[in-house]
Amino acid sequence: MTDTTGESEGADTGPGPEASPETGPDTGHGPGPAPGSGAEEGYTRGLSSRQIQMIAIGGAIGTGLFLGAGRAIHQAGPSLILMYAVAGAVIFVIMRALGELLTYRPSPGSFADYAREFLGPFTGYATGWTYWLMWVVTGMAEVTAASTYLAYWWPSVPQWLAALAFLAALLVANLASVKLFGEVEFWLSMIKVTAILGMILIGVGVLTLGVSAAGHTASVTHLWRDGGVFPHGIGNSLMTLQIVMFAYVAVELVGVTAGEAQNPRETLPKAINTLPWRIVLFYVGALAVILCVVSWTEFQPGVSPFVAAFARIGIPFGAGIVNFVVLSAALSSCNSGMYSTGRMLRDLAANGQGPRMFKRLTARRTPALGTLVSVCVMGVGVWLNYADPAGAFTYITAFATVAGVWTWGVILAAHIRYRAAVRAGRAAAAWFTAPGGAAASWCALAFLGLVVVLIGADSAARVSLYGAPVWFAVLTAGYPVMKRRNPAAFSRRPHLPPPAPEAPAEPPGTAPDAASR
């Protein structure tokens, strides 16, 4: 990474007083700052283990589950549980591949950095800008959705004013310090986790004890009795994979925190390894309980399955509770978007693949300018969603899925090339390896290819595939311009070499040879 000395708006010349002595995960090269570590980037390691774990958990729970699952249940029935399980297994493969790359070379711009090193400068450049755009457009949808949810309690508040207030509040949290961002995200994620756990416990109580108004109809047989597991056929169930994958967008956010985690060697692998139980609990478990309490035939598109389940059970103020949870989920997603866009813009600038002005850090070591510009672009989405709220949300989420699939595909492809470099002795081996190695990554890549095909087969989501070539045409046009300005920034990044083998120790008492004398 490019050194940041002299480029900050304050103290951007080192890890700072709050930085941990441990500046990066062990790469097998001894103590000290690892290449691409937080110390080299100028960030402070302000994210605690508690915050990293909750960011990882919250990244797996978004409005895709709370709202999008209603349409998916209507389309796939009980088989949606299987779709979430299969997609979750693929996501775990992706995250373990990312974990191996993170322990090989920790980097705040992880996705783009690994693409530059193993897939070439253009792929890294395109990945960085695509990931930035993904979070910008997602933020557009989420902040507008949050203002809509607020109208449940205060309908007289103008939507644009609520959206502006949410953007301003989250911007302050992101600009103040990474610790404040982590704390805000911790509590927003805690609300989502508590709501799902509460729903599961209440649902289990309804099933086992027969309590509430839904007690006499709740049954596990709803999973296969009302038309079967695949009531509309396997094809319709597969078509929900694009909705399912959108729900998982943001699980990779834990990789962006690599440069600001207090103990990345311990917290990042732990956050990745706990992903399977989070998927089983929050997605498979929650949906299974809901579909046992309420038959899938009673769910409708556009209605949160959680709202429907709470209403059927007869929980007092159930609609208000779910509205508060969904509001928190939207704000959490927008908060994460602000965090990641600022870091990605700074990573692009630090590597000479973006405007140099985004390279600067404030005295609090936050990429303020990149975050501020991203928020301004998100603000344009407030007007877009006001003009066509239903259509804009569909287009935005579809594009976010395509951009997410691109990012995940790049992670897998970089992991495959990394494994080849390790086998050839050109790159250092990571201590946190992905099970299945390159073969598992190839299988996950094939699955992502299927998702893209399914998006193309869906008339509502197909528009995102039309927009993707336009976006990459813009990137392709800008690439030679930026490359002429800074050719060195677009050279392939060298690998971290394996540690040199230690010389064999001489037996005690061996006399030095004549040459040494």
Side-chain angles (χ1 to χ4, degrees), residues 72 88 92 115 148 240 253 261 311 342 347 357 375 388 401 439 464 485 494 513:
F92 181 62
T148 303
T240 62
L253 182 65
D347 176 75
M357 62 182 180
V375 169
D388 184 11
T401 303
S464 63
R485 292 180 178 177
D513 57 25

Side-chain angles (χ1 to χ4, degrees), residues 149-215:
Y149 303 145
L150 189 69
Y152 176 84
W153 294 292
W154 294 289
S156 60
V157 176
Q159 180 174 313
W160 67 268
L161 183 60
L164 184 62
F166 285 137
L167 280 176
L170 295 178
L171 178 62
V172 169
N174 273 267
L175 297 184
S177 70
V178 69
K179 286 185 178 181
L180 182 57
F181 156 78
E183 201 63 23
V184 170
E185 189 60 27
F186 175 87
W187 289 107
L188 290 175
S189 296
M190 181 67 77
I191 293 170
K192 296 186 289 184
V193 170
T194 303
I196 292 181
L197 291 178
M199 182 69 243
I200 291 174
L201 292 175
I202 292 171
V204 170
V206 172
L207 284 169
T208 57
L209 303 177
V211 297
S212 86

